[in-house]
Amino acid sequence: MEPLNAEDPVSIGPFRIVGRLGAGGMGRVFLARSAGGRTVAVKVVHAELAAQDEFRRRFAREVEALERVGGTGTAPVLGSDTDAASPWVAIGYVPGPSLRTVVGDEYGPLPPATVRALGSGLGRALDHIHAAGLVHRDLKPSNVLLTVDGPRIIDFGIARAVDTVTDGGLTSTGAVVGSPGFMSPEQVRGERLGPASDVFCLGSVLAYAATGRSPFGTSDSGVHALMFRIAHDEPDLTGVAPELTGLIRACLAKDPAARPTAAEIAGTLPFPDPWLPADVLVRLGRHAARLLEAESAAGARDTAGQEGGPDGGQPGGQTGGQSGGRAGDRTRGGAGPGDATAGPAAPAPAPEPGPERPAPRTRRRVLTAALAAVAVAAAAGIGYAFWPLGGPGTGTGGDGRATGSGTVSARPAGAVPAVFLGAWEGVLQGSPEIPRETIRIELVQGAPGAKTAVYTHVGDNRLCMGRSRLVSADEDKVVLGESDVTTSVPPQRCLAAAHQTLTLRSPEVLEWSSGTAKATFHKARTGSEVLPAKYLGRWRMKPLVEGPEADRYTDEVTITQGAVGATVFRATNVYPRTDDEGNTLADSVNCTRTAILASSTPPYVLGPMTLEPGGDSECVSDHLGSYMVLTTYKGEEILQVYPMADTEPGEYHRLD
């Protein structure tokens, strides 16, 4: 959990905000507490999506469906306001690590008895999801949380809502909805999905839990090769215990009609108590203890702030809940008063008809046979005061203009030691190879009081650029103070940088700090041409669909030279328009997006994608930052563009 930033609300509806849990393409997630003391996670939709009526309508229907699920094997909905200026939903907080964290980072593959119990718990959860008319479509280890009482499935519903503002099966960047290593064959083919798709994904999740790897391999050889294996190859179950192979193979049948239903899986597999190994239970206890400590600390800060800080304001300089979402009069699941400034109520459409549930007889026979064979064979960063992103009216538009990223001034006069002059780059979250949040500071010469630093920050779904004033400088330390914002992508989403300190460690390394946050910065390139020549030119992604309409899908990028702060990345995405049933129409959607360069050292970081003016109404902006690298496969250079999230990259092949 991260502390709240100045942009964050102190309450949403009847829930008091305690801290930040993270952010994604759909919105921000806060840890909060109800009036009765229950811990909840509140998801607040980004304003850009909230402005789209169709997204609002689908979001409202999905929230209603989630409420019908009832929390069995999932996180229960405890409140929502889909009519607010920023729609939100409050879900019971699940105090447990993800399956990916336990298997991939902490414990390793789980014992067979635990995997069978995992299948039972997830089968029960999926059965309730399907009965509510939902298909999860992104069941993977990071969306499965482990608790003492059983597994919980998270992060479903909102992803489905996004499809109405794309083409039905593809995201705004042309990627198939889902995670490539944990998709079903019908997802790969872009077909309409039913509950059986989730069962296939469940089989992949159980194989991962038993072995620590996906049964269809990784994307090292390319995303398209991975998808081909899912659609056509048999799973690799090497290392899976004999008592599990029958169940997993039944789930991974290529024919959806041949797979067991979630209800059949849940009704056949046992669920022991305790269901987790002792070492994992110990880790759950430690996880809960850390959460309590974090909440207690946040509560103490909140109490102190309410008693009055030095300036008599809200704790941490907060000004209320305007940016996070305002509770309207129609707040389900909570008793707090509404905010009269909430947006107008959206229409209340009838819920979508649920996916068809094929007759279970054939699947029951398959599962029974598989289990008979079994008997014979017997899964957010540091919070800090630096650049609290967001807040209305504090930035300029993200026009992509370079703001100060040029060569360093050679003027000798000034207070900044020569060794500090130039650009420095560091990673706040993630790693140098897999960045999730990055900062660049470029220092020029000047006297105290002058704006001698230009910063570029990509994180939390925004790019922020601005200038910082020099407070003091000596041989091994530079202190920066007051700042202003020069560029904000999306517009008006950045606040000015806070105080920060740069401490020299060597001519190539310095330590940066701001509040409680710390990072190591390395010397970086400056100038108007920082990208290597091999990145420049046109690149195209191979179509993700096959057949006669494959040529109607185009995903192409053009990379040009420029300085940090310049627009160097232009993406064009063309795909057929679809009707409400998902059928392709004769005309096409054509979307063009651009991105600003945010670093001069590999991997080269880009800010969020911005739509070019005058684009198709179905086009949406991509609010995740990204980074690009070049790799070689079988002698061919491939451009990989990774979103700053836990997902696969887009892969592009050179055109010129």
Side-chain angles (χ1 to χ4, degrees), residues 102 107 109-111 114-115 146 274-284:
V102 170
Y107 183 85
L110 299 173
T114 299
V115 176
L146 306 185
W275 73 285
L276 290 169
D279 288 352
V280 176
L281 289 173
V282 169
R283 286 176 170 83
L284 292 183

Side-chain angles (χ1 to χ4, degrees), residues 32 65 92 122 128 168 173 204 251 258 266 336 338 349 381-382 415 423 445 486 580 603 615:
L122 294 180
H128 281 265
T173 58
S204 294
C251 293
I382 302 173
Q445 192 56 268
T486 58
D580 293 339

